[in-house]
Amino acid sequence: FRIPQNNELSPPAGHVNFLLIREIHVANVASTGFCQPPTSAGGQQHESHGDLRSLSSSLFIIILHFLYEIMAVHGPVVKIHPVVLASIVDSYERRNEGATRVIGTLLGTTDKHSVEVTNCFSVPHNESEDEVAVDMEFAKNMYELHKKVSPSEVIIGWYATGYDITEHSVLIHEYYSREAPNPIHLTVDTALQSNKMNIRAYVSSQMGVPGKTVGVMFTPLTVKYVYYDTERIGVELLQRTRASPSRTNGLTTDLAQVASAAGRVQEMLTTVLSYIEDILSGKVMADNSVGRFLMDLVNKVPKITAEDFESMLNSNINDLLMVTYLANLTQAQIALNEKLVVL
Amino acid sequence: MICIKVYGLKIKLYFVPDPPATKFLSSVSVFQVVMKIIKHYQEEGQGSEVVQGVLLGLVVEDRLEITNCFPFPQHTEDDADFDEVQYQMEMMRSLRHVNIDHLHVGWYQSTFYGSFVSRALLDSQFSYQHAIEESVVLIYDPIKTAQGSLCLKAYRLTPKLMEICREKDFSADGLKKASVGYENMFEEVPIVIKNSHLINVLLWELEDKSTAADKHELLNLSSSTHLEKSLQMLMDRVDEMSQDINNCLFFIPLQYIQRRQQENAQRQSRGEPPLPEEDLSKMFKPPQPPPRMDTLLIASQLSTYCQTIKEFTSQNLGKLFMAEALQGTSSYS
């Protein structure tokens, strides 16, 4: 069989993969449109392939995850903003009773080498053993509404919570390929199967014998987290909720923020110092590149003569004090003015 | 109830606390909302345009929980075929399908260097608060956030101000009667951020993947541009304020009164009977007393500016002292 060039599969694994894909493809062919349940003919085929399919799908999943670790990834790099992940987790928490997973659309921008996911919304869907129903109307509507706010975002794929890629995923993916040229599929493991929330992205590629049975395979992609500056600062603040037992956190006052930033720098300095002590006492091998970084660090403190520094410091402090004084004066003035005017 | 025993007499004092100005002590926001607001500004709000949106959530006991939000599109030239109300209704209906709280609890707005107290804000917040008692307006300051610390504040109108807006009585007498000063126009509601366990897991993941090197905007020493801009805005407002005060003064025909008094003094010195005190209101049409609301708004805005400037300078002083410490130790080595 001809395996497309852009997949680096070791032959045995590829062979198994191909077989498994064929099973899924059968299911694909059997259900005509994905908003309708499979026809009776398809239903029969389901039953005959039922056992084999369940075995093959579990095997498929195992192999897929194994491959995710070792395979070189081809395809665009996926850059995700944290706002998307937050929305996904939130919509998972609000899922209907009985639904095991949530799906939704991903919006963002693409360019030649990467796909940037900046927004998402969840789409109601029903999923059971045999059928999958997704509210397409809703998805279109929401997309229109979102477009009014940010016209530059386009549909670039879809997400699903949960660990596996099921047969239904293939169908949904096909739907999304009608909306976007090369849709990305993102999975967020909210069930924390491996004690981590695995966030993975896939893109689908055709494989198989052209003209005969053609299957779909999900190739994994690298996922990077991208932040705007302000986003990073927001996330950093929100990180603090991890520490408190009630998971709450107030927004801190101004000086407290400077104090905490100073605390962080201090922590980092202590880490560096302990590392240096270890090297000096011979416990750890000295590393030249780290040494160079340390040199840089020490040289970064600018060498200014004491008087110059004093004068700079004093003038800055004077500026700030003057501004504070003016601000206080203005406030007093306003208060006085109010009393006079209202009289 | 406080009882005091004085020389065998028991005096009971009844201590009745003031009814709390606001029933809702704090508003709780969620990771998602904060991120969405930040993102909305970042993508659509470059420049001095404000970005706005709606907050959705629930009221729980004495807390207002904000669980989601969606942005409003900017007002563009093709306003004609765009209906805000319809957009809102569509959005809310759709969100209801996915189990997102679809109750309006307020709105958010971004601000430019802290200038958000304006007539428009007042009107919007009044209409929101009139419809939904607990609504707040979240003010997000992107420029201050970019400097290192998330700046998000929630405000409501005080009940006194609500009274005044309801009666639309903005004259000086009305304001005096309700004793509304610029300080009790808005009250700030403390914000608490609450995250679910899953979100905490997500945060651990993100923490894992992010490096330590990118987190130090706050310790940046260069602050002069920000300070200059803030002071510039402060000066503009003070100018507006003084103009406004001048306008108020013109409504009293001071000059005429002065001339009258001078004439009377002259006549007295000449021994003639003074001119009868004419009723001024018959001479001049009683002018409309100027709307005091603008003065109040400007005063409130000035006070907010001053407050933010003071916070900023105190932070900077801290940073300067840190820099001094660093220089001090290195000069010994």
Side-chain angles (χ1 to χ4, degrees), chain A residues 93 230 238 247 249 328 338, chain B residues 42 182 193 195-196 310:
Chain A
E93 288 175 351
T230 38
L238 298 162
R247 297 169 281 119
N249 179 35
N328 279 330
E338 174 142 47
Chain B
Q42 192 74 30
Y182 70 91
I193 306 211
N195 284 331
S196 69
K310 283 199 287 194

Side-chain angles (χ1 to χ4, degrees), chain B residues 23-248:
Chain B
K23 190 167 130 208
F24 300 97
L25 298 178
S26 63
S27 82
V28 172
S29 220
V30 158
F31 184 35
Q32 209 200 151
V33 174
V34 176
M35 299 307 297
K36 274 188 171 172
I37 297 180
I38 294 179
K39 169 205 175 269
H40 185 209
Y41 177 78
Q42 192 74 30
E43 290 193 348
E44 309 298 332
Q46 297 299 348
S48 57
E49 285 285 322
V50 291
V51 295
Q52 295 179 338
V54 173
L55 298 171
L56 307 164
L58 281 179
V59 174
V60 176
E61 299 166 13
D62 62 348
R63 287 190 316 268
L64 175 68
E65 294 204 2
I66 303 176
T67 51
N68 211 333
C69 67
F70 61 83
F72 259 160
Q74 306 268 37
H75 284 283
T76 51
E77 287 83 45
D78 47 332
D79 251 343
D81 55 353
F82 176 70
D83 189 3
E84 272 198 15
V85 177
Q86 199 208 7
Y87 174 81
Q88 257 190 319
M89 296 313 297
E90 281 269 351
M91 246 334 197
M92 309 229 299
R93 218 177 307 143
S94 314
L95 290 177
R96 196 174 355 155
H97 280 304
V98 284
N99 295 340
I100 293 181
D101 300 322
H102 55 278
L103 300 173
H104 255 162
V105 290
W107 59 300
Y108 69 83
Q109 181 177 312
S110 75
T111 166
F112 183 67
Y113 278 109
S115 61
F116 56 87
V117 179
S118 68
R119 200 52 194 274
L121 184 112
L122 194 72
D123 289 337
S124 310
Q125 181 59 14
F126 172 67
S127 54
Y128 261 94
Q129 231 169 301
H130 193 60
I132 306 156
E133 200 199 320
E134 312 84 6
S135 64
V136 298
V137 53
L138 269 187
I139 302 288
Y140 165 65
D141 189 347
I143 296 169
K144 196 136 186 269
T145 307
Q147 292 200 329
S149 57
L150 180 66
C151 181
L152 199 66
K153 300 207 163 120
Y155 290 101
R156 310 178 62 230
L157 300 181
T158 48
K160 293 183 187 165
L161 195 62
M162 287 288 291
E163 278 280 328
I164 293 192
C165 287
R166 213 169 310 191
E167 295 167 26
K168 301 219 188 314
D169 175 18
F170 291 137
S171 68
D173 291 330
L175 291 179
K176 209 192 318 186
K177 205 175 4 157
S179 65
V180 165
Y182 70 91
E183 277 181 346
N184 31 16
M185 280 178 66
F186 294 102
E187 55 189 7
E188 189 175 333
V189 180
I191 298 183
V192 165
I193 306 211
K194 188 170 166 136
N195 284 331
S196 69
H197 291 291
L198 262 185
I199 298 260
N200 274 350
V201 174
L202 179 66
L203 287 173
W204 280 109
E205 279 259 340
L206 289 177
E207 171 82 0
D208 225 11
K209 303 272 169 70
S210 75
T211 61
D214 332 296
K215 292 185 192 166
H216 297 294
E217 284 302 322
L218 186 57
L219 294 176
N220 196 357
L221 273 181
S222 70
S223 55
S224 50
T225 36
H226 185 251
L227 208 55
E228 277 173 23
K229 267 276 172 61
S230 315
L231 282 179
Q232 186 74 33
M233 311 225 54
L234 191 65
M235 289 195 312
D236 289 339
R237 276 317 157 105
V238 170
D239 282 339
E240 269 186 42
M241 180 82 161
S242 59
Q243 260 187 354
D244 199 67
I245 295 179
N246 280 337
N247 282 343
C248 292

Side-chain angles (χ1 to χ4, degrees), chain A residues 224-243:
Chain A
K224 280 209 180 99
Y225 300 115
V226 171
Y227 304 71
Y228 299 125
D229 289 333
T230 38
E231 277 186 343
R232 176 170 295 130
I233 293 170
V235 171
E236 209 187 314
L237 172 81
L238 298 162
Q239 299 275 13
R240 260 181 276 155
T241 57
R242 293 178 294 164

Side-chain angles (χ1 to χ4, degrees), chain B residues 229-290:
Chain B
K229 267 276 172 61
S230 315
L231 282 179
Q232 186 74 33
M233 311 225 54
L234 191 65
M235 289 195 312
D236 289 339
R237 276 317 157 105
V238 170
D239 282 339
E240 269 186 42
M241 180 82 161
S242 59
Q243 260 187 354
D244 199 67
I245 295 179
N246 280 337
N247 282 343
C248 292
L249 287 179
F250 278 141
F251 280 97
I252 309 172
L254 272 178
Q255 288 178 332
Y256 181 78
I257 295 177
Q258 277 177 345
R259 261 188 287 137
R260 263 288 149 139
Q261 285 177 340
Q262 272 179 347
E263 267 199 49
N264 280 342
Q266 281 177 348
R267 283 175 176 245
Q268 272 188 333
S269 63
R270 279 185 273 165
E272 290 172 19
L275 285 174
E277 286 289 333
E278 286 165 17
D279 196 1
L280 281 173
S281 60
K282 280 197 231 141
M283 303 256 329
F284 295 99
K285 243 186 336 174
Q288 287 287 8

Side-chain angles (χ1 to χ4, degrees), chain A residues 49-63:
Chain A
H49 284 106
D51 290 342
L52 187 56
R53 186 145 35 94
S54 58
L55 174 64
S56 61
S57 56
S58 49
L59 200 52
F60 169 57
I61 303 306
I62 296 172
I63 290 181

Side-chain angles (χ1 to χ4, degrees), chain A residues 152-328:
Chain A
S152 58
E153 287 182 345
V154 289
I155 298 185
I156 51 162
W158 64 293
Y159 69 82
T161 60
Y163 195 56
D164 301 341
I165 299 186
T166 63
E167 301 91 21
H168 305 309
S169 306
V170 180
L171 304 175
I172 304 178
H173 199 81
E174 201 181 323
Y175 162 64
Y176 275 99
S177 1
R178 278 183 251 148
E179 302 276 329
N182 194 11
I184 307 280
H185 174 45
L186 188 73
T187 56
V188 177
D189 181 16
T190 44
L192 305 175
Q193 272 210 358
S194 56
N195 289 334
K196 262 172 64 144
M197 191 184 274
N198 283 312
I199 299 171
R200 294 190 172 155
Y202 303 94
V203 87
S204 78
S205 38
Q206 296 274 336
M207 62 177 298
V209 182
K212 284 203 179 169
T213 42
V214 181
V216 156
M217 173 154 142
F218 284 99
T219 16
L221 304 168
T222 15
V223 168
K224 280 209 180 99
Y225 300 115
V226 171
Y227 304 71
Y228 299 125
D229 289 333
T230 38
E231 277 186 343
R232 176 170 295 130
I233 293 170
V235 171
E236 209 187 314
L237 172 81
L238 298 162
Q239 299 275 13
R240 260 181 276 155
T241 57
R242 293 178 294 164
S244 90
S246 63
R247 297 169 281 119
T248 59
N249 179 35
L251 299 181
T252 51
T253 62
D254 38 349
L255 272 184
Q257 286 159 0
V258 179
S260 63
R264 275 200 299 272
V265 176
Q266 221 175 5
E267 267 177 38
M268 290 199 277
L269 282 176
T270 32
T271 324
V272 173
L273 276 177
S274 62
Y275 172 74
I276 295 178
E277 305 255 324
D278 282 344
I279 291 191
L280 284 180
S281 63
K283 275 192 246 163
V284 178
M285 277 292 295
D287 188 359
N288 276 341
S289 49
V290 176
R292 275 191 280 267
F293 278 125
L294 286 174
M295 274 285 287
D296 272 342
L297 180 69
V298 173
N299 284 337
K300 276 232 166 79
V301 178
K303 280 221 176 61
I304 316 178
T305 57
E307 302 94 40
D308 282 346
F309 185 74
E310 276 288 313
S311 59
M312 277 198 283
L313 189 73
N314 282 334
S315 62
N316 261 324
I317 293 185
N318 279 338
D319 284 342
L320 292 174
L321 287 176
M322 176 186 78
V323 171
T324 317
Y325 176 71
L326 280 176
N328 279 330

